[in-house]
């Protein structure tokens, strides 16, 4: 298990014409080992940018990102990423998309087959191993992206609105799968979502971000006991859930009105 | 993929299968009419200048019987094959180098574009001075004509790789070589294939030009020789063979292209 420590993280994009966009301004967060963090905030507030910097996909303008106390310098094998969109290589089948990541991680071929099968089963797409991305719906492609991140088995999992393109039912099934997984495997997880219910259901803590430039507006501790997997209905109807929902709404609405 | 190669003409969309029977009947009818008119009017003209289809058929048989046609075709195709292979290999290499290294691109770009746009045939006499008129000369001329579309399309393909795809490689820790082989190249394949198709047609033109201007050999040689002897019917035979070869080669590239692009 790994801890993640983000402090003073800032990012200013400069485009070709020299115009600047301040996407992040001083994002601070300490994530405990095995903790499940969800992140919500208005669109364009820098959630993707923050996650990409933590993954090592984007340079930061200022600040630090440490894993177990060590500053990151780029992508690393202890982190896995699920992209918001366009996360698969279209010329590779589902199984080969996963194998690509395993190859990059130097997982021996002999071990890959089993890992790919397990990962595809976890997201319920074992039958689609040989399908190309264009032969699958957006939601199915998204699940392959999740399966790939699971197959490489990182200690830290970064997910950028992974269920955004899914229908309600699939979404609930995968939320439950995500809970089971995190409760079984004790991964450190940062999960961006635009669904308040999803944020509460999954998280130990929900981070609410302010509009651009993104920084943390509030952090809400979720007071719902674990294990939660398999108890979705019960949790959704609990007073604690209703309370957190109200809490989050108030924070997000306050931002909207102020903005 | 959202981006399609724009550096060459797009392939025509496939027609619906529904009218296939009727379409082929129209095509056969058109062919019959054209050949018929040619036969009819050809017979009224000076036989030294115009050969009619039946004459061409007989000439084909004559040239085939002596083996002359096959020898010439073999000669032409050997030169074409070597020249095309050289153009494909060098073209992809230069295109890739230009695509991954900005200095190489800045250095070569003006010359590549200038040479691609100019009528290269103007260079052929000078080339002959340097490399003579043998097989090597033919290969060089073919490669020279065919190489530029390969370079330009490979460059475009390497250039236009979606950043999203490169990010996938980066996110999972793929090195530069792995990203190149398994992301950049597959994503550039449709562009490279378009370049190859252009290279085939330019290469065939180059082959004929070379055979006309250098060692009067191969199919081009047959055309020149029989035209000079006023054996017009025999001169027509290699013309038809060339038309068939051009179409077959383009079709082969297209089949390879479809195989490689089955994921789209
Ligand atoms: N590569 C980029 N170049 C310029 N601006 C960018 C780039 N990526 C993101 N941005 C800008 O940064 C801001 C935050 O974007 P993003 O992190 O994608 O927000 P979110 O994921 O919260 O919707 C947006 O205003 C976006 O337009
Ligand atoms: Mg985003």
């Amino acid at each position: 298990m790994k801890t993640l420590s983000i402090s003073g993280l800032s990012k200013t994009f400069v485009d070709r014409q020299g115009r600047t966009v301040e996407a992040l301004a001083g994002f601070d967060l300490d994530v405990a080992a095995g903790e499940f963090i969800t992140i919500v905030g208005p669109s364009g507030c820098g959630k993707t940018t923050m996650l990409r910097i933590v993954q090592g996909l984007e340079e930061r303008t200022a600040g630090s990102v440490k894993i177990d106390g060590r500053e990151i310098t780029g992508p690393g094998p202890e982190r896995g990423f699920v992209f918001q969109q366009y996360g698969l290589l279209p010329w590779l089948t589902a199984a080969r998309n996963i194998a690509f990541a395993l190859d990059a991680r130097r997982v021996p071929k002999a071990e890959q087959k089993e890992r790919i099968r397990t990962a595809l089963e976890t997201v319920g797409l074992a039958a689609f191993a040989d399908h190309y991305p264009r032969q699958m719906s957006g939601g199915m492609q998204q699940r392959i992206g999740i399966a790939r991140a699971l197959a490489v088995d990182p200690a830290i999992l970064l997910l950028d609105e992974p269920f955004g393109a899914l229908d309600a039912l699939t979404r609930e099934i995968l939320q439950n799968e995500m809970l089971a997984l995190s409760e079984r495997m004790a991964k450190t997880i940062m999960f961006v979502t635009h669904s308040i219910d999803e944020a509460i259901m999954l998280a130990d803590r929900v981070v609410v971000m302010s509009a651009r430039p993104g920084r943390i507006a509030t952090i809400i501790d979720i007071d719902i006991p674990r294990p939660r997997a398999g108890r979705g209905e019960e949790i959704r109807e609990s007073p604690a859930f209703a309370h957190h929902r109200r809490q989050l709404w108030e924070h997000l609405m306050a931002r909207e009105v102020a903005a | 993929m959202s981006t399609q190669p724009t550096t060459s003409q797009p392939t025509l969309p496939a027609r619906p299968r529904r009218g296939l029977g009727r379409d082929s009947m129209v095509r056969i009818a058109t062919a019959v009419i054209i050949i018929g008119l040619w036969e009819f009017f050809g017979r009224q003209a000076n036989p030294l200048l115009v050969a009619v289809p039946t004459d061409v058929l007989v000439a084909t048989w004559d040239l085939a019987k002596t083996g002359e046609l096959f020898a010439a075709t073999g000669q032409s195709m050997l030169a074409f094959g070597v020249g095309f292979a050289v153009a494909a290999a060098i073209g992809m290499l230069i295109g890739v180098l230009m695509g991954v290294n900005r200095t190489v691109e800045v250095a070569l770009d003006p010359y590549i574009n200038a040479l691609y746009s100019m009528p290269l045939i103007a260079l052929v006499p000078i080339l002959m001075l340097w490399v003579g008129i043998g097989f090597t000369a033919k290969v060089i001329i073919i490669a020279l004509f065919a190489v530029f579309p390969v370079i330009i399309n490979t460059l475009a393909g390497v250039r236009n790789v979606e950043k999203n795809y490169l990010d996938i490689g980066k996110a999972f820790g793929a090195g530069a070589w792995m990203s190149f082989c398994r992301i950049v190249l597959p994503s550039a394949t449709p562009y490279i294939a378009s370049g190859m198709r252009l290279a085939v047609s330019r290469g065939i033109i180059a082959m004929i030009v070379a055979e006309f201007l250098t060692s009067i050999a191969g199919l081009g040689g047959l055309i020149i020789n029989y035209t000079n002897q006023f054996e017009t019917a025999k001169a027509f035979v290699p013309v038809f063979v060339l038309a068939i070869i051009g179409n077959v080669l383009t079709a082969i590239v297209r089949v390879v292209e479809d195989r490689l692009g089955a994921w789209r």
Side-chain angles (χ1 to χ4, degrees):
Chain A
M1 282 208 281
K2 306 260 182 202
T3 61
L4 185 61
S5 169
I6 306 169
S7 67
L9 198 61
S10 301
K11 175 71 186 186
T12 303
F13 288 104
V14 183
D15 68 14
R16 283 209 186 118
Q17 284 84 46
R19 281 181 307 224
T20 59
V21 178
E22 196 179 12
L24 273 181
F27 185 98
D28 301 292
L29 184 70
D30 280 311
V31 187
E35 192 177 16
F36 201 132
I37 298 282
T38 55
I39 297 145
V40 294
S43 85
C45 76
K47 305 180 293 291
T48 297
T49 304
M50 185 274 295
L51 220 54
R52 283 173 58 87
I53 295 174
V54 174
Q55 177 65 24
L57 286 174
E58 197 87 66
E59 299 287 328
R60 59 208 128 155
T61 311
S64 99
V65 179
K66 290 179 179 159
I67 290 171
D68 281 351
R70 292 188 52 184
E71 193 69 41
I72 63 155
T73 54
E78 73 291 334
R79 279 160 287 156
F81 201 90
V82 177
F83 291 89
Q84 186 172 359
Q85 325 174 40
Y86 310 118
L88 300 180
L89 298 172
W91 51 86
L92 298 179
T93 61
R96 284 181 182 281
N97 261 286
I98 300 174
F100 173 85
L102 295 175
D103 282 343
R105 289 282 188 244
R106 304 215 153 71
V107 174
K109 284 278 179 206
E111 205 182 306
Q112 290 192 5
K113 219 171 158 184
E114 183 57 26
R115 282 221 214 175
I116 293 168
R117 202 180 54 82
T118 315
L120 285 174
E121 269 169 13
T122 305
V123 298
L125 291 178
F128 291 85
D130 297 324
H131 282 57
Y132 286 95
R134 73 166 162 80
Q135 299 170 310
M136 293 185 278
S137 70
M140 289 160 80
Q141 293 181 31
Q142 202 61 24
R143 282 145 79 190
I144 301 296
I146 296 166
R148 178 179 53 194
L150 293 176
V152 300
D153 194 25
I156 298 173
L157 205 47
L158 307 167
L159 304 99
D160 192 5
E161 303 199 20
F163 304 158
L166 302 184
D167 61 277
L169 182 64
T170 313
R171 191 170 183 135
E172 249 177 65
I173 292 169
L174 282 180
Q175 279 172 13
N176 191 57
E177 208 49 66
M178 199 73 219
L179 279 174
L181 233 128
S182 63
E183 284 160 4
R184 191 170 69 232
M185 299 187 187
K187 289 188 187 303
T188 307
I189 297 174
M190 289 181 85
F191 185 113
V192 172
T193 174
H194 56 247
S195 152
I196 289 180
D197 285 12
E198 185 168 276
I200 299 167
M201 179 63 75
L202 297 175
D204 296 312
R205 287 191 290 159
V206 179
V207 169
V208 182
M209 285 178 72
S210 64
R212 211 184 71 210
R215 55 167 65 92
I216 293 181
T218 333
I219 299 179
I220 292 174
D221 288 297
I222 299 299
D223 190 16
I224 299 171
R226 288 186 190 273
R228 298 181 199 161
R231 296 171 48 223
E233 263 332 282
E234 178 196 334
I235 291 170
R236 254 181 280 274
E237 283 159 16
S238 70
F241 192 87
H243 166 70
H244 288 313
R245 226 168 168 274
R246 219 162 26 240
Q247 245 183 328
L248 265 171
W249 266 118
E250 272 160 22
H251 280 291
L252 286 166
M253 290 307 279
R255 301 277 141 204
E256 287 298 306
V257 173
Chain B
M1 255 196 344
S2 54
T3 45
Q4 287 290 313
T6 51
T7 27
S8 75
Q9 286 115 350
T11 45
L12 289 171
R15 291 195 179 208
R17 283 190 81 76
R18 192 159 39 91
L20 209 72
R22 194 177 161 275
D23 283 359
S24 22
M25 267 164 56
V26 172
R27 292 211 176 104
I28 291 167
T30 317
V32 168
I33 291 169
I34 290 174
I35 294 170
L37 287 174
W38 178 7
E39 185 80 38
F40 178 76
F41 287 107
R43 288 199 179 280
Q44 337 260 314
N46 182 343
L48 277 183
L49 302 181
V50 179
V52 295
T54 42
D55 294 342
V56 176
L57 263 180
V58 172
T60 308
W61 174 246
D62 289 345
L63 288 177
K65 214 167 41 185
T66 59
E68 202 177 348
L69 186 59
F70 303 113
T73 307
Q75 243 177 352
S76 290
M77 289 324 292
L78 183 64
F80 175 84
V82 176
F84 182 81
V86 168
I90 292 182
M92 284 199 284
L93 184 71
I94 295 179
V96 164
L97 286 177
M98 287 173 77
V100 298
N101 186 312
R102 214 185 117 67
T103 312
V104 177
E105 194 201 349
V106 171
L108 296 185
D109 186 62
Y111 305 100
I112 304 286
N113 279 313
L115 284 168
Y116 185 42
S117 314
M118 77 171 272
L120 287 171
I121 195 167
L123 283 178
V124 171
I126 304 171
L127 272 176
M128 284 161 62
L129 258 161
W130 294 340
V131 294
I133 57 165
F135 180 76
T136 318
K138 245 161 98 173
V139 167
I140 289 175
I141 292 167
I142 293 166
L144 182 73
F145 271 62
V147 78
F148 295 103
V150 181
I151 295 177
I152 286 169
N153 281 272
T154 304
L155 171 62
V158 170
R159 253 316 146 64
N160 288 328
V161 181
E162 287 222 24
K163 193 176 161 293
N164 294 313
Y165 299 154
L166 294 174
D167 275 350
I168 297 170
K170 211 170 152 194
F172 289 96
W177 179 243
M178 182 176 170
S179 290
F180 179 74
C181 294
R182 294 175 67 175
I183 298 176
V184 176
L185 276 190
S187 133
T189 300
Y191 291 83
I192 297 174
S194 299
M196 295 294 175
R197 251 189 291 135
L198 290 171
V200 165
S201 42
R202 282 174 64 104
I204 289 182
I205 293 171
M207 179 183 87
I208 294 304
V209 165
E211 286 172 347
F212 282 180
L213 296 181
T214 62
S215 60
I216 318 289
L219 293 168
L222 288 188
I223 297 174
I224 294 284
N225 286 334
Y226 286 115
T227 310
N228 288 344
Q229 294 162 29
F230 293 100
E231 294 205 50
T232 326
K234 281 185 175 166
F236 264 110
V237 176
V239 172
F240 283 109
V241 173
L242 283 166
I244 292 166
I245 289 174
N247 282 292
V248 167
L249 288 175
T250 307
I252 290 173
V253 175
R254 201 157 277 169
V255 166
V256 173
E257 197 177 346
D258 285 348
R259 280 278 162 79
L260 292 174
W263 50 271
R264 276 183 295 160

